[in-house]
CSV table of all heavy atoms in Angstrom, one decimal:
chain,number,residue,atom,x,y,z
A,249,SER,N,106.4,124.2,134.3
A,249,SER,CA,105.6,125.0,135.1
A,249,SER,C,104.4,124.2,135.6
A,249,SER,O,103.9,123.3,134.8
A,249,SER,CB,105.1,126.3,134.4
A,249,SER,OG,104.5,125.9,133.2
A,250,GLU,N,103.9,124.5,136.8
A,250,GLU,CA,102.8,123.7,137.4
A,250,GLU,C,101.8,124.5,138.1
A,250,GLU,O,102.2,125.4,138.9
A,250,GLU,CB,103.5,122.7,138.4
A,250,GLU,CG,102.5,121.9,139.1
A,250,GLU,CD,102.7,120.4,138.9
A,250,GLU,OE1,103.6,120.0,138.2
A,250,GLU,OE2,101.7,119.7,139.2
A,251,PHE,N,100.5,124.3,137.8
A,251,PHE,CA,99.5,125.0,138.5
A,251,PHE,C,99.4,124.4,139.9
A,251,PHE,O,99.2,123.2,140.2
A,251,PHE,CB,98.1,124.7,137.9
A,251,PHE,CG,97.8,125.5,136.7
A,251,PHE,CD1,97.9,125.0,135.4
A,251,PHE,CD2,97.3,126.8,136.9
A,251,PHE,CE1,97.6,125.8,134.3
A,251,PHE,CE2,97.0,127.6,135.8
A,251,PHE,CZ,97.1,127.1,134.5
A,252,GLY,N,99.4,125.3,140.9
A,252,GLY,CA,99.1,124.9,142.3
A,252,GLY,C,97.6,125.0,142.5
A,252,GLY,O,96.8,125.4,141.7
A,253,GLN,N,97.2,124.6,143.7
A,253,GLN,CA,95.8,124.6,144.0
A,253,GLN,C,95.3,125.9,144.6
A,253,GLN,O,94.8,126.8,143.9
A,253,GLN,CB,95.4,123.4,145.0
A,253,GLN,CG,93.9,123.4,145.4
A,253,GLN,CD,93.5,122.2,146.1
A,253,GLN,OE1,92.9,121.3,145.5
A,253,GLN,NE2,93.8,122.1,147.3
A,254,ASP,N,95.6,126.1,145.9
A,254,ASP,CA,95.2,127.4,146.5
A,254,ASP,C,96.4,128.2,147.1
A,254,ASP,O,96.3,129.3,147.5
A,254,ASP,CB,94.3,127.1,147.7
A,254,ASP,CG,93.0,126.4,147.2
A,254,ASP,OD1,92.5,126.8,146.2
A,254,ASP,OD2,92.6,125.4,147.9
A,255,THR,N,97.6,127.5,147.1
A,255,THR,CA,98.7,128.1,147.8
A,255,THR,C,99.9,128.5,146.9
A,255,THR,O,100.2,129.6,146.8
A,255,THR,CB,99.2,127.2,149.0
A,255,THR,OG1,98.0,126.8,149.7
A,255,THR,CG2,100.1,128.0,149.9
A,256,TRP,N,100.5,127.4,146.3
A,256,TRP,CA,101.7,127.7,145.5
A,256,TRP,C,101.7,127.1,144.1
A,256,TRP,O,101.4,126.0,143.9
A,256,TRP,CB,102.9,127.0,146.3
A,256,TRP,CG,103.1,127.6,147.6
A,256,TRP,CD1,103.0,126.9,148.8
A,256,TRP,CD2,103.6,128.9,147.9
A,256,TRP,NE1,103.3,127.8,149.9
A,256,TRP,CE2,103.7,129.0,149.3
A,256,TRP,CE3,103.9,130.0,147.2
A,256,TRP,CZ2,104.1,130.1,150.0
A,256,TRP,CZ3,104.3,131.2,147.8
A,256,TRP,CH2,104.4,131.2,149.2
A,257,ASP,N,102.0,128.0,143.1
A,257,ASP,CA,102.3,127.5,141.8
A,257,ASP,C,103.8,127.3,141.8
A,257,ASP,O,104.6,127.8,142.6
A,257,ASP,CB,102.0,128.6,140.7
A,257,ASP,CG,100.5,128.9,140.6
A,257,ASP,OD1,99.8,127.9,140.7
A,257,ASP,OD2,100.1,130.0,140.4
A,258,GLU,N,104.3,126.5,140.8
A,258,GLU,CA,105.7,126.0,140.9
A,258,GLU,C,106.4,126.0,139.5
A,258,GLU,O,105.8,125.9,138.4
A,258,GLU,CB,105.7,124.5,141.3
A,258,GLU,CG,105.0,124.2,142.6
A,258,GLU,CD,104.9,122.7,142.9
A,258,GLU,OE1,105.3,121.9,142.1
A,258,GLU,OE2,104.4,122.4,144.0
A,259,LEU,N,107.7,126.2,139.6
A,259,LEU,CA,108.6,125.9,138.5
A,259,LEU,C,109.5,124.8,139.0
A,259,LEU,O,110.2,124.9,140.0
A,259,LEU,CB,109.5,127.1,138.1
A,259,LEU,CG,110.5,126.8,136.9
A,259,LEU,CD1,109.7,126.5,135.6
A,259,LEU,CD2,111.5,127.9,136.8
A,260,ASN,N,109.5,123.6,138.3
A,260,ASN,CA,110.3,122.5,138.7
A,260,ASN,C,111.3,122.1,137.7
A,260,ASN,O,111.1,122.2,136.4
A,260,ASN,CB,109.3,121.2,138.8
A,260,ASN,CG,108.5,121.3,140.0
A,260,ASN,OD1,108.9,121.2,141.2
A,260,ASN,ND2,107.1,121.5,139.8
A,261,GLU,N,112.5,121.7,138.2
A,261,GLU,CA,113.5,121.0,137.3
A,261,GLU,C,113.1,119.5,137.4
A,261,GLU,O,113.0,118.9,138.4
A,261,GLU,CB,114.9,121.2,137.8
A,261,GLU,CG,115.9,120.5,136.9
A,261,GLU,CD,117.3,120.6,137.5
A,261,GLU,OE1,117.6,121.3,138.5
A,261,GLU,OE2,118.2,120.0,136.8
A,262,ILE,N,112.8,119.0,136.2
A,262,ILE,CA,112.3,117.6,136.1
A,262,ILE,C,113.4,116.6,135.9
A,262,ILE,O,114.2,116.7,135.0
A,262,ILE,CB,111.3,117.5,134.9
A,262,ILE,CG1,110.2,118.5,135.0
A,262,ILE,CG2,110.7,116.1,134.8
A,262,ILE,CD1,109.3,118.4,136.3
A,263,LYS,N,113.4,115.6,136.8
A,263,LYS,CA,114.3,114.5,136.8
A,263,LYS,C,113.5,113.2,136.6
A,263,LYS,O,112.5,113.0,137.1
A,263,LYS,CB,115.1,114.4,138.1
A,263,LYS,CG,115.9,115.7,138.5
A,263,LYS,CD,117.1,115.7,137.7
A,263,LYS,CE,118.1,116.8,138.2
A,263,LYS,NZ,119.4,116.8,137.4
A,264,ALA,N,114.2,112.3,135.8
A,264,ALA,CA,113.5,111.1,135.5
A,264,ALA,C,113.2,110.3,136.7
A,264,ALA,O,114.0,110.1,137.6
A,264,ALA,CB,114.4,110.2,134.6
A,265,GLY,N,111.9,109.9,136.8
A,265,GLY,CA,111.5,109.0,137.9
A,265,GLY,C,111.1,109.7,139.2
A,265,GLY,O,110.7,109.0,140.1
A,266,GLU,N,111.3,111.0,139.2
A,266,GLU,CA,111.0,111.7,140.5
A,266,GLU,C,109.5,112.0,140.7
A,266,GLU,O,108.8,112.1,139.8
A,266,GLU,CB,111.8,113.0,140.5
A,266,GLU,CG,113.3,112.8,140.5
A,266,GLU,CD,114.0,112.9,141.9
A,266,GLU,OE1,113.3,113.1,142.9
A,266,GLU,OE2,115.2,112.8,141.9
A,267,ASN,N,109.2,112.1,142.0
A,267,ASN,CA,107.8,112.3,142.4
A,267,ASN,C,107.7,113.8,142.9
A,267,ASN,O,108.5,114.2,143.8
A,267,ASN,CB,107.4,111.4,143.5
A,267,ASN,CG,106.0,111.4,143.9
A,267,ASN,OD1,105.3,112.4,143.8
A,267,ASN,ND2,105.4,110.3,144.3
A,268,TYR,N,106.8,114.6,142.3
A,268,TYR,CA,106.7,116.0,142.7
A,268,TYR,C,105.6,116.3,143.7
A,268,TYR,O,105.3,117.5,143.9
A,268,TYR,CB,106.6,116.8,141.4
A,268,TYR,CG,108.0,116.8,140.6
A,268,TYR,CD1,108.3,115.7,139.9
A,268,TYR,CD2,108.9,117.8,140.8
A,268,TYR,CE1,109.6,115.6,139.3
A,268,TYR,CE2,110.2,117.7,140.2
A,268,TYR,CZ,110.5,116.6,139.5
A,268,TYR,OH,111.8,116.5,138.9
A,269,GLY,N,105.1,115.3,144.3
A,269,GLY,CA,104.3,115.5,145.5
A,269,GLY,C,102.8,115.6,145.5
A,269,GLY,O,102.2,115.4,146.5
A,270,TRP,N,102.2,116.0,144.4
A,270,TRP,CA,100.8,116.3,144.5
A,270,TRP,C,100.0,115.0,144.6
A,270,TRP,O,100.4,114.0,144.0
A,270,TRP,CB,100.4,117.0,143.2
A,270,TRP,CG,98.9,117.3,143.2
A,270,TRP,CD1,97.9,116.7,142.5
A,270,TRP,CD2,98.2,118.3,144.0
A,270,TRP,NE1,96.7,117.2,142.7
A,270,TRP,CE2,96.9,118.2,143.7
A,270,TRP,CE3,98.6,119.2,144.9
A,270,TRP,CZ2,95.9,119.0,144.2
A,270,TRP,CZ3,97.7,120.0,145.5
A,270,TRP,CH2,96.3,119.9,145.2
A,271,PRO,N,99.0,114.9,145.4
A,271,PRO,CA,98.4,116.0,146.2
A,271,PRO,C,98.9,116.1,147.6
A,271,PRO,O,98.4,116.9,148.4
A,271,PRO,CB,96.9,115.7,146.2
A,271,PRO,CG,96.9,114.1,146.2
A,271,PRO,CD,98.1,113.7,145.4
A,272,LYS,N,99.9,115.3,147.9
A,272,LYS,CA,100.4,115.3,149.3
A,272,LYS,C,101.3,116.5,149.6
A,272,LYS,O,101.5,116.8,150.8
A,272,LYS,CB,101.1,114.0,149.6
A,272,LYS,CG,100.2,112.7,149.4
A,272,LYS,CD,101.0,111.4,149.7
A,272,LYS,CE,100.1,110.3,149.5
A,272,LYS,NZ,100.8,109.0,149.8
A,273,ALA,N,101.8,117.1,148.6
A,273,ALA,CA,102.7,118.3,148.8
A,273,ALA,C,102.4,119.3,147.8
A,273,ALA,O,102.2,119.0,146.6
A,273,ALA,CB,104.2,117.9,148.8
A,274,GLU,N,102.4,120.6,148.2
A,274,GLU,CA,102.2,121.7,147.3
A,274,GLU,C,103.2,122.7,147.6
A,274,GLU,O,103.3,123.2,148.7
A,274,GLU,CB,100.8,122.3,147.4
A,274,GLU,CG,100.5,123.5,146.5
A,274,GLU,CD,99.1,124.0,146.6
A,274,GLU,OE1,98.3,123.5,147.4
A,274,GLU,OE2,98.8,125.0,146.0
A,275,GLY,N,104.0,123.1,146.6
A,275,GLY,CA,105.1,124.0,146.9
A,275,GLY,C,106.3,123.4,147.6
A,275,GLY,O,106.4,122.1,147.6
A,276,LYS,N,107.1,124.1,148.3
A,276,LYS,CA,108.3,123.6,149.0
A,276,LYS,C,107.9,123.0,150.3
A,276,LYS,O,107.8,123.7,151.4
A,276,LYS,CB,109.3,124.8,149.2
A,276,LYS,CG,109.8,125.3,147.8
A,276,LYS,CD,110.9,126.2,148.0
A,276,LYS,CE,111.5,126.6,146.6
A,276,LYS,NZ,112.7,127.4,146.8
A,277,ALA,N,107.6,121.7,150.3
A,277,ALA,CA,107.1,121.0,151.5
A,277,ALA,C,108.3,120.4,152.3
A,277,ALA,O,108.1,120.2,153.5
A,277,ALA,CB,106.1,120.0,151.1
A,278,GLY,N,109.4,120.1,151.6
A,278,GLY,CA,110.5,119.5,152.3
A,278,GLY,C,110.2,118.1,152.8
A,278,GLY,O,110.8,117.7,153.8
A,279,GLU,N,109.3,117.4,152.2
A,279,GLU,CA,108.9,116.1,152.6
A,279,GLU,C,109.8,115.0,151.9
A,279,GLU,O,110.0,115.1,150.7
A,279,GLU,CB,107.5,115.8,152.4
A,279,GLU,CG,106.6,116.7,153.2
A,279,GLU,CD,105.1,116.3,153.1
A,279,GLU,OE1,104.8,115.1,152.7
A,279,GLU,OE2,104.2,117.1,153.4
A,280,ALA,N,110.2,114.0,152.7
A,280,ALA,CA,111.0,112.9,152.1
A,280,ALA,C,110.2,112.2,151.0
A,280,ALA,O,109.0,112.0,151.1
A,280,ALA,CB,111.3,111.9,153.2
A,281,GLY,N,110.9,111.9,149.9
A,281,GLY,CA,110.3,111.2,148.8
A,281,GLY,C,109.7,112.1,147.7
A,281,GLY,O,109.4,111.6,146.7
A,282,PHE,N,109.6,113.4,148.0
A,282,PHE,CA,109.1,114.3,147.0
A,282,PHE,C,110.2,115.3,146.7
A,282,PHE,O,111.0,115.8,147.5
A,282,PHE,CB,107.9,115.1,147.6
A,282,PHE,CG,106.7,114.1,147.9
A,282,PHE,CD1,105.9,114.4,149.0
A,282,PHE,CD2,106.4,113.0,147.1
A,282,PHE,CE1,104.9,113.6,149.3
A,282,PHE,CE2,105.4,112.2,147.5
A,282,PHE,CZ,104.6,112.5,148.5
A,283,ARG,N,110.2,115.8,145.4
A,283,ARG,CA,111.1,116.8,145.0
A,283,ARG,C,110.5,118.1,145.0
A,283,ARG,O,109.4,118.4,144.4
A,283,ARG,CB,111.6,116.5,143.6
A,283,ARG,CG,112.8,117.4,143.1
A,283,ARG,CD,113.3,117.0,141.7
A,283,ARG,NE,114.3,117.9,141.3
A,283,ARG,CZ,115.6,117.6,141.5
A,283,ARG,NH1,116.0,116.5,142.2
A,283,ARG,NH2,116.6,118.4,141.1
A,284,ASP,N,111.1,119.1,145.7
A,284,ASP,CA,110.6,120.4,145.8
A,284,ASP,C,110.8,121.3,144.6
A,284,ASP,O,111.8,121.0,143.9
A,284,ASP,CB,111.3,121.2,147.0
A,284,ASP,CG,110.7,120.8,148.4
A,284,ASP,OD1,109.6,120.1,148.4
A,284,ASP,OD2,111.3,121.2,149.4
A,285,PRO,N,110.0,122.2,144.3
A,285,PRO,CA,110.2,123.1,143.2
A,285,PRO,C,111.4,124.0,143.4
A,285,PRO,O,111.8,124.3,144.5
A,285,PRO,CB,108.9,123.9,143.1
A,285,PRO,CG,108.4,123.9,144.5
A,285,PRO,CD,108.7,122.6,145.1
A,286,LEU,N,111.9,124.5,142.2
A,286,LEU,CA,113.0,125.5,142.3
A,286,LEU,C,112.5,126.8,142.8
A,286,LEU,O,113.1,127.5,143.5
A,286,LEU,CB,113.6,125.6,140.9
A,286,LEU,CG,114.7,126.7,140.8
A,286,LEU,CD1,116.0,126.2,141.5
A,286,LEU,CD2,115.0,127.1,139.4
A,287,ALA,N,111.3,127.2,142.3
A,287,ALA,CA,110.7,128.5,142.7
A,287,ALA,C,109.2,128.3,142.8
A,287,ALA,O,108.6,127.4,142.2
A,287,ALA,CB,111.0,129.5,141.6
A,288,GLN,N,108.5,129.1,143.6
A,288,GLN,CA,107.1,129.0,143.8
A,288,GLN,C,106.5,130.5,143.9
A,288,GLN,O,107.2,131.4,144.2
A,288,GLN,CB,106.8,128.2,145.1
A,288,GLN,CG,107.3,128.9,146.4
A,288,GLN,CD,107.1,128.0,147.6
A,288,GLN,OE1,106.9,126.8,147.5
A,288,GLN,NE2,107.1,128.6,148.8
A,289,TRP,N,105.2,130.6,143.6
A,289,TRP,CA,104.5,131.8,143.6
A,289,TRP,C,103.1,131.6,144.2
A,289,TRP,O,102.5,130.5,144.0
A,289,TRP,CB,104.3,132.4,142.2
A,289,TRP,CG,105.6,132.7,141.5
A,289,TRP,CD1,106.3,133.9,141.4
A,289,TRP,CD2,106.4,131.7,140.8
A,289,TRP,NE1,107.5,133.7,140.7
A,289,TRP,CE2,107.6,132.4,140.3
A,289,TRP,CE3,106.3,130.4,140.4
A,289,TRP,CZ2,108.5,131.8,139.5
A,289,TRP,CZ3,107.3,129.8,139.7
A,289,TRP,CH2,108.4,130.5,139.2
A,290,LYS,N,102.5,132.6,144.7
A,290,LYS,CA,101.1,132.6,145.1
A,290,LYS,C,100.3,132.4,143.8
A,290,LYS,O,100.6,132.9,142.8
A,290,LYS,CB,100.7,133.8,145.8
A,290,LYS,CG,101.4,134.1,147.1
A,290,LYS,CD,100.9,135.4,147.8
A,290,LYS,CE,101.6,135.6,149.1
A,290,LYS,NZ,101.2,136.9,149.7
A,291,THR,N,99.2,131.6,143.9
A,291,THR,CA,98.4,131.3,142.7
A,291,THR,C,97.8,132.6,142.1
A,291,THR,O,97.5,132.6,140.9
A,291,THR,CB,97.3,130.3,143.1
A,291,THR,OG1,96.5,130.8,144.2
A,291,THR,CG2,97.9,129.0,143.5
A,292,SER,N,97.6,133.6,142.9
A,292,SER,CA,97.0,134.9,142.4
A,292,SER,C,98.0,135.6,141.6
A,292,SER,O,97.7,136.5,140.8
A,292,SER,CB,96.5,135.8,143.5
A,292,SER,OG,97.6,136.1,144.4
A,293,GLU,N,99.3,135.3,141.7
A,293,GLU,CA,100.4,136.0,141.0
A,293,GLU,C,100.9,135.3,139.8
A,293,GLU,O,101.6,135.9,139.0
A,293,GLU,CB,101.6,136.2,141.9
A,293,GLU,CG,101.3,137.1,143.2
A,293,GLU,CD,102.5,137.2,144.1
A,293,GLU,OE1,103.3,136.3,144.1
A,293,GLU,OE2,102.5,138.2,144.9
A,294,ALA,N,100.5,134.1,139.6
A,294,ALA,CA,101.0,133.3,138.5
A,294,ALA,C,99.9,132.5,137.8
A,294,ALA,O,99.3,133.0,136.8
A,294,ALA,CB,102.1,132.4,138.9
A,295,SER,N,99.5,131.3,138.3
A,295,SER,CA,98.7,130.4,137.5
A,295,SER,C,99.3,130.2,136.2
A,295,SER,O,98.8,130.6,135.2
A,295,SER,CB,97.3,130.9,137.4
A,295,SER,OG,96.7,131.0,138.7
A,296,PRO,N,100.5,129.5,136.2
A,296,PRO,CA,101.3,129.5,135.0
A,296,PRO,C,100.9,128.6,133.9
A,296,PRO,O,100.3,127.5,134.2
A,296,PRO,CB,102.7,129.1,135.5
A,296,PRO,CG,102.3,128.2,136.7
A,296,PRO,CD,101.1,128.8,137.3
A,297,SER,N,101.2,128.9,132.7
A,297,SER,CA,100.9,128.1,131.6
A,297,SER,C,102.3,127.8,130.9
A,297,SER,O,103.1,127.2,131.4
A,297,SER,CB,99.9,128.7,130.6
A,297,SER,OG,99.5,127.7,129.6
A,298,GLY,N,102.4,128.4,129.6
A,298,GLY,CA,103.7,128.1,128.9
A,298,GLY,C,104.9,128.7,129.4
A,298,GLY,O,104.9,129.7,130.1
A,299,ILE,N,106.0,128.1,129.1
A,299,ILE,CA,107.4,128.6,129.4
A,299,ILE,C,108.3,128.5,128.2
A,299,ILE,O,108.0,127.7,127.3
A,299,ILE,CB,108.0,127.9,130.6
A,299,ILE,CG1,108.2,126.4,130.3
A,299,ILE,CG2,107.2,128.1,131.9
A,299,ILE,CD1,109.0,125.7,131.4
A,300,ALA,N,109.3,129.3,128.2
A,300,ALA,CA,110.4,129.2,127.2
A,300,ALA,C,111.7,129.6,127.9
A,300,ALA,O,111.7,130.3,128.9
A,300,ALA,CB,110.1,130.2,126.0
A,301,TYR,N,112.8,129.1,127.3
A,301,TYR,CA,114.1,129.4,127.8
A,301,TYR,C,114.8,130.4,126.9
A,301,TYR,O,115.1,130.0,125.7
A,301,TYR,CB,114.9,128.2,128.1
A,301,TYR,CG,116.3,128.4,128.6
A,301,TYR,CD1,116.5,128.6,129.9
A,301,TYR,CD2,117.4,128.4,127.7
A,301,TYR,CE1,117.8,128.8,130.4
A,301,TYR,CE2,118.6,128.6,128.1
A,301,TYR,CZ,118.9,128.8,129.5
A,301,TYR,OH,120.2,129.0,129.9
A,302,VAL,N,115.1,131.6,127.3
A,302,VAL,CA,115.8,132.6,126.5
A,302,VAL,C,116.7,133.4,127.4
A,302,VAL,O,116.3,133.8,128.5
A,302,VAL,CB,114.7,133.5,125.8
A,302,VAL,CG1,115.4,134.6,125.0
A,302,VAL,CG2,113.8,132.7,124.9
A,303,GLU,N,117.9,133.7,126.9
A,303,GLU,CA,118.8,134.6,127.6
A,303,GLU,C,119.1,134.1,129.0
A,303,GLU,O,119.2,134.9,129.9
A,303,GLU,CB,118.3,136.0,127.5
A,303,GLU,CG,118.3,136.6,126.2
A,303,GLU,CD,119.7,136.9,125.6
A,303,GLU,OE1,120.4,137.7,126.1
A,303,GLU,OE2,120.0,136.3,124.5
A,304,GLY,N,119.3,132.8,129.2
A,304,GLY,CA,119.7,132.3,130.5
A,304,GLY,C,118.6,132.2,131.6
A,304,GLY,O,118.8,131.9,132.7
A,305,SER,N,117.3,132.5,131.1
A,305,SER,CA,116.2,132.5,132.1
A,305,SER,C,115.0,131.8,131.5
A,305,SER,O,114.9,131.6,130.3
A,305,SER,CB,115.8,134.0,132.4
A,305,SER,OG,116.8,134.7,133.0
Side-chain angles (χ1 to χ4, degrees):
S249 58
E250 176 118 12
F251 278 103
Q253 179 167 258
D254 300 316
T255 310
W256 298 113
D257 293 325
E258 303 174 357
L259 179 70
N260 287 291
E261 182 183 355
I262 303 299
K263 299 284 189 177
E266 296 260 2
N267 189 326
Y268 289 80
W270 179 256
K272 298 181 179 181
E274 181 180 356
K276 296 189 175 186
E279 294 189 19
F282 300 142
R283 187 176 181 90
D284 280 349
L286 177 74
Q288 62 184 22
W289 299 265
K290 294 178 181 178
T291 56
S292 60
E293 297 176 339
S295 298
S297 189
I299 62 173
Y301 178 81
V302 177
E303 295 289 295
S305 295

